Amino acid sequence: MKKKIRTLAFLLLSATATTACIPASGMPAATAVATPIASIQPSLEGPRDTKELEAFADSVFSDVMKKYNTVGSNFAVVGDGKVLLSKGYGYADKEKKIPVDKDTVFQIGSVTKQFTALAAMQMVDKGKIDLRGDIQKYLGGLKIPNKTGKKLTMYDLLTYSTGFEFPDIASYYSTEYVNKDYPIKDFLKSHMSEVVRPPGEAYVYDNLGFLLAGYAVENASGMPYSKYMEKNIFNPLGMTSTNVRITPELLGRMAAHYGPNGEKIPMDGTMPTEKPEGGIISTADDMAKYLLMHLNKGNYDGNEIVSQKSIEQMHTYQFFADKTIPITTIGFEAYFPEKMNGQHVILKGGNVTGHSSLIVILPEKNAAFYLSNNDDNAQFSIDVYEAFMNHYYPRKTEVSKPTYSAISEQQAKAYVGLYKNIRMDALRNKVSYSNGKLVSETPSGKQTLKMIHPLLFEDESGNKVTFKKNAAGQIAYMYSTTLPDLASFSEKVNLDSPFSDVPANSKYKSYINNLNALKVMSGKSSHIFDPKGTMTQAEFSEVLLRAQGWHKMPFLLAANKKQMKAGLPNFYPNSPITRQMAAVMIQNLRQVEPSTKVKLSGTTDAWAVEAIKALVSQGIMDPDTKVKSDGSVNFRSKELLLRQEASALLDQAFNYILPIRH
């Protein structure tokens, strides 16, 4: 299973170099002799001098590739109607000593999304899709469950504001899908999410939304998505090495895929095979042509690819966390706004296993660049982006320090509560009030939030945090401009207790309420929890996977299920689960680091001892389990796990009650 930090980079994309270009060990040298960056006078007008640009790029890529152990990358920069640089660095395949060049093929991942947005806007131009009309009209009879009473539109799909409960339900990546064909229509029939928030209300990075947008283009145009893209975008732009499908010829030129330690890894296939949200492959040469079309307001080589009105909508921010914090255009994004240095920048990043890409466009400066690297480290491209902006578009004025206002305890009541990241349930945030300020608390620590104005706050590091009201005028969402929360609003959850069989003075009440509110562990009915009932091993498994918070990511489920059961002598889905089995399964996924020494009393099977000790050492135990003064504890390991005990263990293990003792 991928490490979680790499998974976040895969999902989200999502140091300035200052030394001379020295080829990394074992890598082919750049074709031009690089000039030390220190001797170059940075241009205040962006990249215009091709020699200076190449020297800058050589230095940056040398340093960043060493920093991240990257095997190979490419880089294309366009401006003033021409290609200023298109160059490869390192190896497409280091074992075969094949260098990256402008014709090396990379999987561009979610950079595909803004291609799909372009296709949708072409259909809008032709009058075949109403941008603000009900998307159901373009889905060939496919039904989207929607309980909000507000129609879902193409505009919502393209601005990442659909309201889907499971925005990654279509994210299937595996080597087993290579050389197999899974049509979009057939896939969507069994992989559909319900719209649970009013469309247009909340931002969430959304793979399903763009898959549906591509399917709508397919239906409205009367041709498969791949054929539409080839006929209406790739061919008119002369993008002869770009495709939605991996053809044998393009596969022969594709960069190998590498892991974080420079090890070669197999290429994943996808389901469905054609992925409007992440399936395009391309080259630096082709992507340069695409960027030139954007800078020329939808035209390329005398042909209108898309109307100027539509391209301007793609270049104009549509969705904001605050009027000062843009999030999305039609198809593009604005993550890390502090790196824009006061410029109008739109960008889109993408990751698949072993490849990462980024395009950056400055429409007002008539400049843009594209890069890919053959690992899935999104930070690589972020570093290059930051270096590019600091070198060519340095911030000319200091950002003025905001003034803060105290927030009263009465005002704070609207904000205080528990917030859950809409896209990734594993990310939770507790907001409280203290001395005229809000306090934001996650498992990684606390931040004090100072109010700039109602709904806009700033933490000690200068990071902005916003809140948003729902249609009823209540604070319903929270958003932070820092990773990992950058990919989604967090939604405020209602912690009121609905269960009549959980006494008000129960030691388990808060745990039960938390898990119910977070849709991790519900009751036997809407008002009955059955706190002293038992659970089967299968029931606990389902609850545990939801508690872990990664259950919305289909490509992680199989590995997580396997890891969850590691070390168990047996697993019988319909049998009751014991406390020791539950502890092992929790530890398999939580991986708690033991702190204090714990001595177990009572009877525990050898395969469960270390897991129980680790959990207890961090205070992860139910209220009826106590550590004695001599450090011993009777975990009652072989007793059956009660539902209320499960709620306490899971609540503490996965950070709903904060903080966990360290």
Side-chain angles (χ1 to χ4, degrees):
M1 186 178 65
K2 294 183 178 70
K3 293 181 180 179
K4 292 296 183 277
I5 190 167
R6 291 182 64 220
T7 301
L8 278 171
F10 179 94
L11 297 169
L12 295 176
L13 206 91
S14 213
T16 303
T18 57
T19 62
C21 176
I22 303 172
S25 177
M27 293 184 179
T31 56
V33 178
T35 304
I37 281 298
S39 68
I40 298 172
Q41 184 66 33
S43 168
L44 298 180
E45 301 299 327
R48 298 293 180 262
D49 183 313
T50 56
K51 290 184 179 180
E52 185 279 331
L53 171 61
E54 185 169 30
F56 165 75
D58 288 349
S59 179
V60 169
F61 277 79
S62 175
D63 284 357
V64 177
M65 289 176 74
K66 288 175 185 175
K67 179 179 179 180
Y68 295 110
N69 196 31
T70 299
V71 175
S73 182
N74 60 9
F75 190 50
V77 182
V78 301
D80 294 335
K82 60 185 178 182
V83 179
L84 301 173
L85 178 69
S86 184
K87 188 171 182 178
Y89 295 90
Y91 287 115
D93 189 313
K94 67 178 178 181
E95 288 76 18
K96 297 179 180 179
K97 305 298 182 184
I98 300 173
V100 174
D101 60 29
K102 64 184 180 62
D103 297 314
T104 301
V105 174
F106 284 85
Q107 294 177 280
I108 65 173
S110 286
V111 174
T112 301
K113 287 180 172 65
Q114 44 76 44
F115 276 91
T116 298
L118 179 69
M121 296 310 290
Q122 286 181 330
M123 300 303 288
V124 171
D125 288 342
K126 295 174 183 177
K128 293 188 176 182
I129 289 180
D130 180 354
L131 187 62
R132 304 277 184 168
D134 194 333
I135 196 65
Q136 290 282 178
K137 295 189 294 185
Y138 313 109
L139 298 181
L142 187 72
K143 297 297 182 183
I144 301 174
N146 186 345
K147 64 182 183 182
T148 69
K150 185 179 180 183
K151 67 184 178 184
L152 179 65
T153 70
M154 177 63 81
Y155 181 84
D156 300 319
L157 301 183
L158 301 182
T159 56
Y160 305 79
S161 56
T162 61
F164 282 131
E165 183 175 14
F166 296 103
D168 290 289
I169 195 172
S171 298
Y172 283 82
Y173 299 88
S174 174
T175 54
E176 69 181 273
Y177 304 140
V178 175
N179 297 324
K180 295 182 181 179
D181 191 72
Y182 302 95
I184 295 176
K185 182 179 181 179
D186 293 345
F187 178 81
L188 283 173
K189 286 179 179 178
S190 57
H191 296 82
M192 182 55 66
S193 176
E194 183 176 17
V195 178
V196 295
R197 286 170 298 278
E201 186 171 274
Y203 159 69
V204 184
Y205 191 88
D206 197 327
N207 282 301
L208 176 60
F210 279 84
L211 175 58
L212 284 167
Y215 185 59
V217 169
E218 187 171 283
N219 279 282
S221 67
M223 64 179 73
Y225 173 77
S226 57
K227 296 297 183 184
Y228 179 90
M229 300 299 287
E230 184 177 359
K231 179 180 179 181
N232 294 281
I233 296 178
F234 304 151
N235 287 348
L237 290 173
M239 298 177 71
T240 56
S241 295
T242 302
N243 210 308
V244 172
R245 287 176 171 262
I246 300 175
T247 65
E249 192 274 328
L250 293 180
L251 181 61
R253 287 194 275 134
M254 184 178 289
H257 299 67
Y258 292 92
N261 298 314
E263 73 280 15
K264 186 179 283 189
I265 57 178
M267 178 182 70
D268 278 345
T270 65
M271 185 171 65
T273 305
E274 296 184 7
K275 290 186 78 64
E277 77 280 23
I280 289 176
I281 57 176
S282 191
T283 65
D285 193 41
D286 276 8
M287 291 298 292
K289 297 171 184 177
Y290 180 72
L291 293 177
L292 285 172
M293 179 275 297
H294 269 281
L295 294 182
N296 203 32
K297 299 181 179 179
N299 286 271
Y300 183 80
D301 198 23
N303 298 315
E304 183 179 88
I305 306 301
V306 68
S307 71
Q308 183 173 338
K309 176 184 177 181
S310 288
I311 208 77
E312 286 176 350
Q313 287 180 284
M314 294 185 71
H315 291 179
T316 303
Y317 282 104
Q318 311 282 334
F319 198 100
F320 295 78
D322 175 82
K323 64 181 180 180
T324 62
I325 304 175
I327 300 182
T328 64
T329 74
I330 287 177
F332 289 94
E333 297 177 277
Y335 46 77
F336 304 113
E338 74 282 358
K339 300 184 190 302
M340 294 180 180
N341 291 347
Q343 302 291 340
H344 178 67
V345 181
I346 59 172
L347 39 69
K348 188 72 198 78
N351 284 65
V352 298
T353 305
H355 281 187
S356 179
S357 297
L358 176 70
I359 62 172
V360 173
I361 302 176
L362 291 87
E364 297 172 1
K365 297 297 182 179
N366 198 17
F369 75 75
Y370 153 81
L371 69 84
S372 286
N373 47 284
N374 55 2
D375 55 35
D376 54 21
N377 186 344
Q379 189 61 48
F380 176 97
S381 59
I382 294 168
D383 280 13
V384 175
Y385 165 49
E386 184 173 24
F388 183 88
M389 293 301 298
N390 288 343
H391 185 66
Y392 290 111
Y393 304 99
R395 185 176 292 278
K396 294 182 179 180
T397 58
E398 290 294 325
V399 178
S400 59
K401 191 73 175 174
T403 56
Y404 307 113
S405 301
I407 182 171
S408 70
E409 187 171 5
Q410 182 61 33
Q411 288 175 304
K413 288 180 180 178
Y415 301 86
V416 167
L418 184 64
Y419 294 78
K420 177 182 70 173
N421 188 283
I422 296 172
R423 188 183 182 209
M424 292 171 282
D425 285 9
L427 305 177
R428 294 119 191 168
N429 196 299
K430 180 182 177 183
V431 175
S432 57
Y433 174 76
S434 178
N435 298 323
K437 301 179 184 67
L438 297 182
V439 177
S440 170
E441 185 178 2
T442 68
S444 60
K446 291 183 180 182
Q447 294 289 337
T448 298
L449 305 182
K450 295 171 286 187
M451 186 171 71
I452 299 173
H453 63 70
L455 306 181
L456 178 62
F457 294 74
E458 186 175 84
D459 68 19
E460 295 96 331
S461 300
N463 300 309
K464 299 297 190 296
V465 175
T466 68
F467 293 86
K468 185 176 180 180
K469 296 180 179 180
N470 57 20
Q474 302 167 321
I475 299 291
Y477 305 104
M478 178 181 182
Y479 179 68
S480 172
T481 58
T482 58
L483 289 172
D485 298 283
L486 198 61
S488 170
F489 278 8
S490 291
E491 190 170 25
K492 195 175 184 183
V493 297
N494 179 11
L495 295 175
D496 293 341
S497 176
F499 301 119
S500 59
D501 63 341
V502 180
N505 62 353
S506 170
K507 293 177 287 187
Y508 293 90
K509 185 179 178 65
S510 64
Y511 305 125
I512 292 170
N513 289 351
N514 282 346
L515 266 63
N516 178 69
L518 292 162
K519 298 181 180 179
V520 170
M521 186 175 180
S522 57
K524 291 291 188 179
S525 69
S526 59
H527 297 290
I528 300 297
F529 184 76
D530 188 20
K532 295 187 177 180
T534 59
M535 306 178 72
T536 67
Q537 294 173 24
E539 287 172 338
F540 182 78
S541 299
E542 291 178 8
V543 171
L544 173 56
L545 288 169
R546 290 197 294 272
Q548 182 202 26
W550 294 92
H551 62 290
K552 290 183 177 179
M553 308 296 169
F555 65 96
L556 291 177
L557 270 179
N560 282 350
K561 287 180 179 179
K562 181 179 180 180
Q563 182 174 330
M564 175 180 68
K565 299 174 185 176
L568 297 178
N570 49 58
F571 183 85
Y572 301 116
N574 296 323
S575 297
I577 190 165
T578 61
R579 289 169 55 86
Q580 65 178 0
M581 177 178 279
V584 170
M585 293 169 71
I586 290 171
Q587 176 62 357
N588 282 343
L589 294 185
R590 181 64 176 84
Q591 295 294 298
V592 170
E593 291 293 334
S595 58
T596 57
K597 290 185 177 181
V598 173
K599 179 172 61 177
L600 295 184
S601 61
T603 305
T604 299
D605 288 331
W607 50 266
V609 168
E610 293 307 314
I612 293 172
K613 285 183 176 181
L615 295 182
V616 170
S617 75
Q618 290 284 5
I620 301 173
M621 51 189 173
D622 60 277
D624 290 315
T625 300
K626 305 293 184 183
V627 179
K628 296 180 181 179
S629 57
D630 64 354
S632 67
V633 60
N634 182 2
F635 194 75
R636 310 187 310 284
S637 301
K638 296 201 172 188
E639 292 183 13
L640 297 182
L641 180 73
L642 304 184
R643 285 171 54 82
Q644 64 181 11
E645 296 168 351
S647 72
L649 291 174
L650 294 174
D651 194 351
Q652 295 177 85
F654 295 100
N655 306 316
Y656 309 138
I657 291 295
L658 299 165
I660 287 182
R661 176 162 55 89
H662 290 285

